[in-house]
Amino acid sequence: MGMEHVEAYRCIDCGEEYEPEGIMYTCPNHEDPMEGLLDVVYDYDAIAEDFDGKADGDIPDLWKYRPFLPIAEDAEPVTLGEGGTDLIAAPRLSEDIGVEISVKDDSRNPTASFKDRATTVSVTKAKHHDHDVVTCASTGNAAASLAGYAARGGLTARIFVPESAPEGKLAQPLVYGADVIQVQGTYPEAGQLSLEVTEKYGWYNRNAAFNPFQVEGKRTAGLEIAEQTQGDVPDWVVVSVGDGCTIAGVWKGLKEFEKLGYIDETPKMLGVQAEGAPVIHEAFHGEESLDEKAKTLADSIAVAAPANLKKAVNAMEESDGNSVAVSDEEILDGELKLGSTEGLFVEPAAAAIVAGVEKAVEKDIIEEGESAVVVSSGYGLKDLDNAKNAGREPYSLPPDIEEIDAVFGDEE
Ligand SMILES: *Cc1c(COP(=O)(O)O)cnc(C)c1O
């Protein structure tokens, strides 16, 4: 198999450890589907031996971090060139908000979201283990990402979506050739069906609630941020939070780079959720959410029962971080602000980071003059309806230069 750098898969609930052999999803000791997620435990001496001397800031793609990934030596990566994204200074946005902001632009991944970091790892594993079919239940970026990487790897993707899924969101997986199964039911029902086919037919499952390798792939963003900021680690890293897999992954990567001595200290993690879907935010602040709710226009973080709640809360606690929730209106303001100050076009779930930094300043969580890397997770063209609501109205004028004079003439 060739995974000597992986020591074990450890259950985050009961601590039981499993041999890193074959594919395992969750710890069999738990009946509750919200329990039994596995964490991958590594031998960092083995990783350091492979990676030493390579933290030079030159990151062509995330496969630079192959020594960190739970992938067998003889596995061939299914890749579209994901990761290695730019860290862009944002001087106008920084001046506007009063915090020194850089944007880790993960909206520029191959299928236009952060999800590709996880998918490249799980589809590589699926292919290496001779699966022909990969599956997930998703209405959005996870489905698009899985479908794209399945096509790249010559596998079939079967995506389960609820009846209510917006048509626009299905276009991308359909163009990648996926079978999209519209389940005449709710989102949890579609999710349940995707688990049943995994058990019955052995289709490989990408669900973040279930597949431990999603976090492992996502942590490459933490490794990259650490490598790109060596010697000047930011005070904060800001991540929008749905299931909690992204923030947990980024934090794990940052910690690993500190452990290996490439950075001296770790940043604090700021999680940003939508006010309409605040389960992880509330759990961090010690409140228990009684109702499952997910009402926000930022569909990529509209999660009622977050699968990675424990790992996400842990990331904020361990890093001495914090959590804020933002309204839909603040999210749309953030989308316009990021676009108009820095030329970065992001979808609402990504725009939440801008709103989140503003909220954190307002609440004295982030102090004026501190530095923050904000992780932009999805591209703006993913959701044109909301982009239209975020942007300004066009001018509608007759084809007559005098009409232009009337509007803009004063400026000359
Ligand atoms: C999935 C997603 C998130 C949130 O990631 P989680 O792992 O669910 O917390 C944020 N932004 C975008 C664009 C996403 O697709």
Side-chain angles (χ1 to χ4, degrees):
M1 295 281 299
M3 287 219 296
E4 278 78 30
H5 63 301
V6 178
E7 287 185 343
Y9 298 162
R10 181 188 295 147
C11 175
I12 65 167
D13 289 300
C14 70
E16 180 128 1
E17 294 196 352
Y18 299 90
E19 289 285 316
E21 266 172 23
I23 301 177
M24 280 249 326
Y25 291 107
T26 53
C27 175
N29 293 344
H30 306 270
E31 300 237 316
D32 185 339
M34 294 295 283
E35 288 187 355
L37 261 178
L38 299 177
D39 187 31
V40 183
V41 185
Y42 298 91
D43 172 354
Y44 286 100
D45 292 336
I47 290 177
E49 211 165 283
D50 262 8
F51 191 74
D52 226 19
K54 297 199 182 127
D56 56 5
D58 181 21
I59 312 169
D61 62 36
L62 66 73
W63 288 92
K64 172 173 185 173
Y65 303 103
R66 183 166 181 149
F68 289 83
L69 296 174
I71 301 265
E73 256 166 45
D74 56 341
E76 179 132 356
V78 177
T79 176
L80 288 159
E82 55 289 327
T85 54
D86 288 336
L87 183 65
I88 302 165
R92 273 168 298 281
L93 182 67
S94 301
E95 194 176 315
D96 187 308
I97 299 183
V99 173
E100 193 196 313
I101 297 173
S102 315
V103 180
K104 177 66 173 163
D105 193 1
D106 258 65
S107 71
R108 298 192 199 185
N109 271 305
T111 77
S113 86
F114 192 99
K115 297 287 189 288
D116 292 345
R117 292 183 183 272
T119 311
T120 188
V121 171
S122 47
V123 173
T124 295
K125 283 194 90 71
K127 186 162 181 174
H128 183 63
H129 290 278
D130 292 327
H131 288 269
D132 300 321
V133 181
V134 291
T135 186
C136 74
S138 166
T139 56
N141 293 334
S145 183
L146 184 65
Y149 281 79
R152 183 70 174 171
L155 308 181
T156 299
R158 302 223 161 98
I159 316 280
F160 290 84
V161 303
E163 223 170 6
S164 60
E167 295 272 311
K169 286 267 168 178
L170 304 183
Q172 203 180 352
L174 287 167
V175 168
Y176 290 136
D179 295 328
V180 173
I181 301 135
Q182 266 178 318
V183 178
Q184 293 164 8
T186 62
Y187 188 72
E189 284 170 324
Q192 179 57 30
L193 213 49
S194 89
L195 294 184
E196 285 174 29
V197 295
T198 299
E199 199 157 305
K200 182 155 187 192
Y201 304 123
W203 299 351
Y204 186 81
N205 198 306
R206 186 215 179 274
N207 281 11
F210 191 57
N211 185 322
F213 306 115
Q214 304 307 315
V215 168
E216 301 311 309
K218 287 183 172 189
R219 79 200 214 287
T220 56
L223 301 173
E224 287 181 17
I225 291 168
E227 185 166 335
Q228 288 168 320
T229 60
Q230 278 177 98
D232 189 18
V233 176
D235 298 304
W236 293 88
V237 170
V238 184
V239 179
S240 59
V241 177
D243 266 312
C245 183
T246 306
I247 194 168
V250 171
W251 173 237
K252 188 170 178 180
L254 289 164
K255 260 193 320 190
E256 289 173 322
F257 248 48
E258 187 207 31
K259 192 182 178 103
L260 292 171
Y262 300 125
I263 54 173
D264 298 335
E265 52 183 338
T266 48
K268 293 171 270 194
M269 302 299 298
L270 180 72
V272 184
Q273 288 211 289
E275 279 176 0
V279 177
I280 290 176
H281 169 71
E282 288 178 353
F284 174 81
H285 288 290
E287 299 158 31
E288 190 145 354
S289 301
L290 295 178
D291 310 322
E292 291 195 348
K293 41 196 166 174
K295 214 174 147 3
T296 167
L297 57 76
D299 64 312
S300 301
I301 51 170
V303 179
N308 279 280
L309 184 138
K310 282 181 197 147
K311 285 186 183 178
V313 170
N314 187 46
M316 294 184 276
E317 281 175 352
E318 246 182 45
S319 67
D320 196 23
N322 218 314
S323 166
V324 292
V326 293
S327 70
D328 281 358
E329 201 185 332
E330 289 164 337
I331 288 173
L332 290 184
D333 286 350
E335 183 166 343
L336 179 61
K337 195 168 273 187
L338 191 54
S340 60
T341 58
E342 301 294 349
L344 298 173
F345 185 24
V346 302
E347 67 164 274
I353 50 178
V354 175
V357 171
E358 291 193 289
K359 176 113 343 160
V361 170
E362 209 177 282
K363 289 185 173 289
D364 294 323
I365 293 170
I366 299 184
E367 284 167 37
E368 297 242 350
E370 282 193 306
S371 58
V373 166
V374 300
V375 179
S376 162
S377 46
Y379 198 59
L381 289 177
K382 291 267 193 182
D383 184 351
L384 277 178
D385 287 341
N386 280 309
K388 280 185 217 152
N389 293 330
R392 305 185 333 197
E393 291 289 318
Y395 298 94
S396 177
L397 300 174
D400 179 345
I401 188 69
E402 282 176 15
E403 298 285 345
I404 303 292
D405 285 345
V407 181
F408 300 103
D410 285 352
E411 290 175 15
E412 297 307 315

